[in-house]
Structure formats: C-alpha cells, structure tokens
Amino acid sequence: MNQTLNVALGERSYPIHIGCGVLTDAELVLPHLKQKNAVVVTNMTVAPLYLDALRSTLEKGGVSVLPVILPDGERYKTWETLNLIFDALLGAHCERNTTLIALGGGVIGDMGGFAAACYQRGMPFIQVPTTLLSLVDSSVGGKTAINHPLGKNMIGAFYQPKLVLADLSTLDTLPDRELQAGLAEVIKYGLIRDPDFFIWLESNIDKLLARDKTALAYAVHRSCSNKAEVVAADERESGERALLNLGHTFGHAIETGMGYGVWLHGEAVAAGTLIAAELSFRLGWLSAETVQRIEKLFIQAGLPVQGPALGAARYLELMSHDKKVQDGKLRLVLLKEIGKAVMSDEAGKELIRAAIEARCT
Ligand code: NAD
Ligand code: GLY
C-alpha cells in the first residue's frame, strides 16, 4: 500500500509518495504538470530499465516526453554534463513551465535539480529516485549540485521539487553494493536523531539486505519522515539541517581524494561516520562500547568502517573546502550518544588528526 508524506515548506510544500508502482500511477504525477510536455533527465543505466514505464505514465495524460540520457557515474556530475541538459532544453525550445523530471539516483537528481534551478531562472522539477540512497535522502529537501575537482557538491542551489515519487519496485534492479551504500544514509537518521530507529535497524538489517519489501517500505518512510521534519525546520541549513551531514566532511574528502566514483558516496559516508564516532570517543562523549555498536551495524550492512590511507594531512587539506567551515574554522558533526548529534568546533587539529590516523589505515 502506498504512503504519502508532506514536506511542509509553505507555498513550496510537496508530497512524497512511497510505494511499489508509484511511478506508473498517472494520477499522482499528471496534476503537477503545468504543460503537456516534460523533459526526463536520466542516464544510460536507468533509461533501459524505467524510462519506458515513466513515459507511458505521462503519455496517458497526453504529455509528450523529451528524454535526456546522460553518461552514468559520479565522475560525470560536472559542468560539462550539466550543459548537455541545457543543450537539450534549448534545442527543444522548452519553456519555463516545462517540467523537468529527474529519473535515477542521487547523481541524476542533484544534476537534474540544479539544471531546473538554473534554466530560465527556474522550471518545475520532479524527483523520481531509483536508488535506496536517493529514495531516503537526496530526492528530498532540495539540495542540488555538481562537483568541482577541488570539492564535492561545491556548485549548486537550494531548489525544491514539486513532487517526489519514491517507487520501491525500482530497488529490485539495484546492485547489492548500491543498496548497501544507501543503508549508510538510513543508519544516519538513527544516529543523529532517531535512537528507536537505530534499534529497529539493529534487528532488521538482514531483512533490508534481503530486500524485504515491508522492511524497505518502513525504512524509506521513517527516513523520509526524519528528513522532511529537518528540512521543514531548517530548509537552508542555518542550524539543525547541518546534522544530516554526519560523516560527510570526512566522506567528501574520501570521495574527492580517491577520485569521484572510486568510493561510492554511501561507502565514504560510512567510513566518515566511524571517524566522527572515533573523534566523539576521543572527546569523551561516546564510550568504546557505543563506538563498537555503531561499527557493528555498519559492518552488518556490508559497509566500510575504515577510510583509505590518504594521510591525515591530505584529509585535512580536502576538508578545508567543507561548506561548514566558518571564519576559516572547521566545524564537524559529532555524536553525544546514539540518537543525538551536535555541530562542534571543539576538536582541535591534533585530535582530528589522531582520529583520522586511527581509522584510515
Ligand atoms: P548514483 O546516482 O550514482 O546511482 C548509483 C548507481 O546505480 C548508478 O550507476 C546508477 O546508474 C545506478 N542505478 C540507479 N538506479 C538504479 C536501479 N533502479 N537499478 C539499477 N541501477 C540503478 O548514486 P546514489 O548513491 O543514488 O547518489 C549519490 C549522489 O547523491 C552523490 O553525488 C551525492 O553527493 C548525492 N547526494 C545528494 C544529497 C542531497 O541532499 N541532494 C544527499 C545525499 C547524497
Ligand atoms: N543530505 C544532506 C541534506 O540534505 O541536508
């Protein structure tokens, strides 16, 4: 059965429909289109799997569809690829009321959303996520971006979608490694603000790995519900929303330092979360047992708990580009306990260096 959540942002509020088959339900999508045409931005992997189904859904309402099929991969989350979207939009004389639909994982969602934010200063935008990570995180909340060689997601905009269609059936074709990567962001919600969910995950991680639909529906709904609450309270990340970046400062350093796409985003976030937990332990906030409990869940989820040995100096250099740096000072999301994250600048460089060295061998 489908479930619907609302992201409460005043006149920019929007629904998230979660369930099996929501991307083929014309009644969910057609009322959101202002014109009888739409651009579907997707990639070479996802197009053969789901483009026809989405196109048929739209055509039921007489909507003509322009597909834009991009190369697949984090390394293509660039200006050059973004420009391919603009080439297609301009080539087809798309207007500012044409809707752009992003069909794919977080890379497509982030690039499609950024293109929609920029084209004619903003066109309507719909997210149809097809990876676990994009279902539980990137499709909700309006962060859009591309990468720069010096830093992840450094060029972008806040731009909310009009609708999110979170179709659990798309997870049937997702490779195991990608499913596991998505679990890193699911576990994140338990760690930062939902301790009961963390406990639920400890008991149900095997069901999620086995793609049990009831367990997946519960985890996606609970994750999106957490994210919707945080975004509604702090859309532009002036406070609480920054906590959603647990593990990301270290994780982005891993992704950039290794070369985009070598470590999956979720894998880098998993290792980054353990570095943050290690640092929280060294600050005297977490016990060794709690760090072990966190580590155990990530290991059960098939995720790395050690970062690559880039060297602490290289990590610190890469981390100096983090968006949370304020007045030149690094601020990190750390843990006081399972279910309680804080933003802190209390850890000095030496302590951070020690935590990196302990966790990145
Ligand atoms: P991704 O978009 O690269 O997708 C992973 C892989 O799975 C790709 O090869 C893709 O083509 C393939 N794929 C997608 N759906 C599939 C399906 N149903 N079946 C088979 N294959 C499928 O990676 P991701 O993990 O979805 O997203 C990671 C990106 O999201 C990163 O760039 C990260 O920065 C971004 N992100 C953004 C936010 C945000 O708030 N905007 C939050 C978290 C992550
Ligand atoms: N994924 C972090 C955020 O949306 O704020």
Side-chain angles (χ1 to χ4, degrees):
M1 208 184 64
N2 296 346
Q3 292 176 292
T4 301
L5 287 166
N6 181 47
V7 184
L9 288 169
E11 59 182 16
R12 284 173 295 102
S13 298
Y14 53 94
I16 309 169
H17 297 297
I18 302 168
C20 290
V22 290
L23 88 77
T24 53
D25 188 339
E27 283 175 24
L28 294 180
V29 65
L30 293 175
H32 292 270
L33 301 186
K34 286 187 175 171
Q35 289 185 335
K36 294 278 182 199
N37 58 356
V39 177
V40 177
V41 175
T42 185
N43 72 25
M44 288 168 182
T45 305
V46 177
L49 296 170
Y50 302 109
L51 180 58
D52 281 351
L54 181 59
R55 190 204 301 261
S56 309
T57 309
L58 294 163
E59 285 176 354
K60 279 182 207 155
V63 174
S64 70
V65 174
L66 172 71
V68 181
I69 300 175
L70 303 175
D72 181 12
E74 185 74 42
R75 70 185 186 283
Y76 294 107
K77 200 174 158 187
T78 60
W79 270 121
E80 290 73 23
T81 314
L82 192 70
N83 233 350
L84 298 177
I85 306 177
F86 297 134
D87 291 347
L89 293 172
L90 283 160
H93 298 275
C94 292
E95 299 173 1
R96 60 159 53 131
N97 281 331
T98 302
T99 296
L100 187 154
I101 305 178
L103 172 69
V107 169
I108 286 296
D110 281 13
M111 270 198 302
F114 190 35
C118 299
Y119 185 71
Q120 298 199 10
R121 301 196 184 91
M123 67 196 294
F125 161 53
I126 290 175
Q127 288 270 21
V128 185
T130 63
T131 61
L132 181 60
L133 186 139
S134 55
L135 281 147
V136 299
D137 191 352
S138 61
S139 64
V140 176
K143 276 191 182 174
T144 75
I146 53 167
N147 299 328
H148 185 280
L150 291 178
K152 262 283 285 182
N153 293 337
M154 280 294 150
I155 322 290
F158 285 99
Y159 194 66
Q160 300 294 341
K162 301 283 178 205
L163 165 73
V164 180
L165 291 178
D167 196 327
L168 301 169
S169 313
T170 60
L171 298 177
D172 293 344
T173 54
L174 196 66
D176 286 340
R177 186 179 166 200
E178 299 290 351
L179 187 84
Q180 289 159 4
L183 289 172
E185 302 281 22
V186 174
I187 295 171
K188 171 183 83 178
Y189 295 111
L191 284 173
I192 64 170
R193 72 194 303 274
D194 193 347
D196 291 343
F197 186 36
F198 188 90
I199 292 166
W200 182 89
L201 286 167
E202 289 181 308
S203 306
N204 289 277
I205 197 78
D206 290 340
K207 287 189 189 156
L208 295 174
L209 289 166
R211 300 172 197 240
D212 175 300
K213 279 280 164 23
T214 309
L216 281 170
Y218 181 80
V220 171
H221 185 273
R222 187 122 177 189
S223 299
C224 287
S225 162
N226 271 294
K227 178 129 190 199
E229 276 177 29
V230 173
V231 169
D234 178 23
E235 182 185 9
R236 291 196 161 234
E237 199 169 303
S238 48
E240 186 189 357
R241 185 165 182 172
L243 302 181
L244 292 172
N245 293 314
L246 175 67
H248 284 59
T249 302
F250 300 106
H252 286 167
I254 293 171
E255 290 185 82
T256 310
M258 293 299 288
Y260 296 124
V262 176
W263 277 56
L264 301 183
H265 177 71
E267 293 169 344
V269 166
T273 300
L274 265 299
I275 306 172
E278 177 75 33
L279 193 48
S280 308
F281 164 69
R282 283 166 189 257
L283 282 162
W285 296 351
L286 288 187
S287 66
E289 293 70 39
T290 303
V291 177
Q292 277 161 15
R293 194 175 151 200
I294 297 169
E295 185 174 52
K296 185 173 170 205
L297 184 56
F298 278 103
I299 290 172
Q300 284 174 328
L303 287 161
V305 291
Q306 291 276 336
L310 298 171
R314 178 76 176 126
Y315 270 93
L316 289 169
E317 179 194 327
L318 289 160
M319 286 159 58
S320 69
H321 290 292
D322 190 81
K323 291 189 281 301
K324 291 180 294 302
V325 169
Q326 213 168 62
D327 300 326
K329 192 147 194 206
L330 188 59
R331 298 179 308 144
L332 291 166
V333 183
L334 299 174
L335 290 170
K336 288 279 185 179
E337 57 190 84
I338 289 175
K340 186 167 175 20
V342 291
M343 174 68 89
S344 169
D345 62 5
E346 278 180 59
K349 277 241 167 79
E350 283 321 305
L351 210 56
I352 299 174
R353 191 185 294 274
I356 293 170
E357 275 163 4
R359 278 280 160 187
C360 306
T361 47

